Amino acid sequence: MWQTRLATASLLLVVAHALNCPENYHEIGSGCVLAPAERLPALEAQSLCHDLQGELATLDRCDIFTDAVHYLEETGAMYNSYWIRGTYSVTRDEWQWRDGSVVAMGAPFWGTAGGGNWEPYGGDCAAIFNGDNPYMGAFGCIAEFLHICEGPPTAEGHCNLPFTAVGSQCLSFEGSALQSWEASRNICQADGGDLVTFDNCEQFGVVANYILEQDLQHIHQYWVGGYLVDLTKHWFWLDGSSIPMGLPYWGQFNPGKLLPDNPTVEWCLELGYEYRHRFNDLDCLELRRPLCMASPVE
């Protein structure tokens, strides 16, 4: 079914510098994009993007917003409407992108509705609207529009065994015996890599979904390359960069309480099945399997 949908994909975006986009996605200079030629309600559009290994596009920066709109203008495709990922949160009374960040109001993204009212006006799902007004508007989520899927860049080059390309990384989901965090790191290094780290939310989501799609969720927990520095409550990746706190990375231990929750003894980072493979702090001597990462081979 999805192969047929790919055959009807109509959005081809050309750029000046090369990203290495997933199969069937196209470069726009600031991202990797695919627009299947099917009109669907917003939730079904998001589901189709998932089937195509992507997400509804988050056009949250001027460059990616402008690149996408300019292409649609140049090809005449702006006479259609395209779902993107912005939605209205009733509980927070604000518009959000898929990672929970706030959608900025007004210029430069939102347009005007009928009667001259500023968008968003009259719906809970965001789209780039049709006609000669190529800005964002709010629409009822059951409207059937075209849609723009966004995929993360893939790993350039190829991955040596035992690593496989998952999104933009070469990863190995080690099936070895359970190990401590330090022993797991040694296993990764012996294969020419290290415990995995994530520098963006999109790639983190790709890996979490890959675990489910490949039926790896029966391996409940994986060690990853994050650690707590003493009792400072500051978490870092192995390259020394900071690990973001809060949503959407960290799991929830109890309703209303986000992890991490025990800086006195839990200094290492895992992806836990019970947290839908979000982050959890854990005693470094606990036993988990390593999730390893290596650089692609050119």
Side-chain angles (χ1 to χ4, degrees), residues 185-265:
R185 190 178 182 195
N186 291 338
I187 289 173
C188 293
Q189 291 173 336
D191 285 333
D194 211 330
L195 288 173
V196 69
T197 61
F198 302 106
D199 62 7
N200 65 76
C201 183
E202 287 72 23
Q203 177 61 15
F204 165 63
V206 168
V207 173
N209 286 326
Y210 181 88
I211 290 172
L212 296 177
E213 292 162 3
Q214 300 298 315
D215 198 27
L216 299 173
Q217 64 267 27
H218 62 281
I219 303 176
H220 288 186
Q221 299 96 359
Y222 291 100
W223 283 127
V224 296
Y227 62 94
L228 178 69
V229 176
D230 298 325
L231 301 179
T232 62
K233 297 185 180 180
H234 294 151
W235 284 81
F236 293 92
W237 295 117
L238 293 171
D239 64 3
S241 59
S242 296
I243 296 176
M245 293 291 102
L247 299 171
Y249 295 98
W250 290 85
Q252 191 175 27
F253 181 65
N254 286 313
K257 182 175 177 59
L258 284 174
L259 299 165
D261 65 345
N262 194 354
T264 57
V265 295

